[in-house]
Amino acid sequence: MDEINFTEVKEADLEMIRQWRNSPEVGQYMYTDNEISAVQQKKWFDKISLEENSRYWVIEFQKKKLGLVYLVHIDFKHSKCFWGFYLGDTSIRGKGIGAKVEYKVLEYVFEELKLNKLCGEVLSFNEKVIKMHEKFGFKQEGYLRQHVNKNGSFMDVVSIGLLKSEWKVIKDDLYKKVYRFS
C-alpha cells in the first residue's frame, strides 16, 4: 500500500510552497488572493516555526512532494483545532491523494493528539471539497455570510466540524474506502 507521509516544513521547502500557493489552481480556494513574495514567505516560516499551537507539513507520496497540510489553533483545553490542506501538484488530483491526506489528518488529530473536535472552513463555492469533507463525516456547522474579502468581493464560508465520537463510528469503513479494501 502506498503511504502518504507528512514531513515538517523546512526552510528548503519555502520556494516550492510559495510557488504552489501563488498558483491560480491553489490560490482561488484560499482566503487571501495576493501574490506572496519570497520575503513574505520567509516571514511566514519564521512565524510558524515559533508557534506551539500549530503544525505544518509537506505532503509526500511515493517520495514526491505534493502539497501542504496544517493544523492551527490547537487547543488542548477545549480539545479542538482547525485544519486545511492543498495539493500544489495538480497532476495527481483526482487520484485519491486528498482522501488519504484527510484520513491521515483525522487519525492524527483524534488518535495521537486525542482531541475531541476537528474544525475547518471552506469557501462556499468550493462544493467539491465540501462534499469530500462530508464523505469523511464532517457536518456543516455554520454558514458565514460575506466572511472573506477576496478579489474585491465578499465571499461566503462554510464552517465544518467532526467529533471524535463520529470518527470512531466511521473510521474503519473510511479506511476501507480510502485504501480501496472491500
Side-chain angles (χ1 to χ4, degrees), residues 156-173:
D156 297 344
V157 171
V158 175
S159 173
I160 58 172
L162 178 67
L163 302 177
K164 184 178 197 171
S165 59
E166 295 164 336
W167 161 250
K168 285 181 177 180
V169 171
I170 62 173
K171 71 177 184 177
D172 292 337
D173 286 339

Side-chain angles (χ1 to χ4, degrees), residues 76-88:
F76 289 103
K77 180 180 188 306
H78 298 293
S79 197
K80 65 181 178 173
C81 69
F82 284 79
W83 84 293
F85 82 99
Y86 58 82
L87 297 174

Side-chain angles (χ1 to χ4, degrees), residues 9-11 14 41-49:
V9 172
K10 297 178 183 67
E11 194 162 348
L14 291 182
Q41 189 75 357
K42 176 69 167 83
K43 284 182 182 177
W44 169 79
F45 177 73
D46 292 344
K47 179 180 149 292
I48 68 162
S49 297

Side-chain angles (χ1 to χ4, degrees), residues 36-86:
I36 298 167
S37 70
V39 170
Q40 290 170 316
Q41 189 75 357
K42 176 69 167 83
K43 284 182 182 177
W44 169 79
F45 177 73
D46 292 344
K47 179 180 149 292
I48 68 162
S49 297
L50 299 173
E51 291 177 357
E52 294 181 12
N53 67 340
S54 66
R55 312 277 189 281
Y56 288 82
W57 301 284
V58 172
I59 301 163
E60 292 185 3
F61 182 68
Q62 298 177 338
K63 300 184 181 185
K64 186 175 179 186
K65 295 178 179 187
L66 303 176
L68 183 77
V69 62
Y70 52 89
L71 301 175
V72 294
H73 308 298
I74 300 170
D75 181 344
F76 289 103
K77 180 180 188 306
H78 298 293
S79 197
K80 65 181 178 173
C81 69
F82 284 79
W83 84 293
F85 82 99
Y86 58 82

Side-chain angles (χ1 to χ4, degrees), residues 109-153:
V109 166
F110 295 125
E111 297 180 20
E112 289 189 45
L113 294 181
K114 301 194 181 311
L115 297 179
N116 183 58
K117 185 175 183 180
L118 181 58
C119 307
E121 294 181 346
V122 183
L123 292 169
S124 64
F125 68 83
N126 197 351
E127 294 174 12
K128 187 174 179 182
V129 167
I130 293 168
K131 283 182 177 29
M132 183 178 86
H133 291 317
E134 288 173 345
K135 287 180 184 175
F136 278 83
F138 280 87
K139 307 282 188 266
Q140 289 191 24
E141 297 187 331
Y143 193 87
L144 308 170
R145 298 175 306 134
Q146 298 186 4
H147 194 64
V148 174
N149 186 348
K150 186 167 173 63
N151 294 318
S153 297

